[in-house]
Amino acid sequence: NQLRRLRDMTADAERLIAKLPDPRHRAVLQAYYLSTDTWDDVAERLNYDVRWVYKLREEALEILRKASA
């Protein structure tokens, strides 16, 4: 069932994001990957420059990559 698979994937993403120690990293990934926000929306909502949002995303993804290696 596709809906069940989507729910499972969302739950997995939530668990991974929750492991990030920096709340800024969590906020950026949650806003983009777990909602329908664009990167511009994320920047506006968090009151960040969009370039800073991209940097935080890259930092967060690198932390998750290292943790899964």
Side-chain angles (χ1 to χ4, degrees):
N1 177 327
Q2 286 185 337
L3 185 55
R4 171 178 251 164
R5 187 167 182 264
L6 179 59
R7 285 187 196 138
D8 290 345
M9 290 171 61
T10 300
D12 290 344
E14 288 171 343
R15 280 191 289 276
L16 280 173
I17 292 169
K19 291 180 180 182
L20 290 165
D22 190 325
R24 298 170 306 162
H25 292 148
R26 290 193 307 268
V28 166
L29 295 190
Q30 287 167 342
Y32 184 77
Y33 291 109
L34 300 176
S35 73
T36 59
D37 288 353
T38 65
W39 289 115
D40 288 332
D41 294 337
V42 173
E44 185 175 333
R45 179 162 24 137
L46 297 176
N47 202 28
Y48 292 150
D49 183 88
V50 73
R51 290 170 296 187
W52 182 242
V53 169
Y54 292 143
K55 180 166 177 43
L56 290 171
R57 175 197 60 185
E58 288 307 314
E59 290 174 0
L61 293 177
E62 184 61 26
I63 290 166
L64 293 175
R65 278 186 211 107
K66 287 180 180 177
S68 69

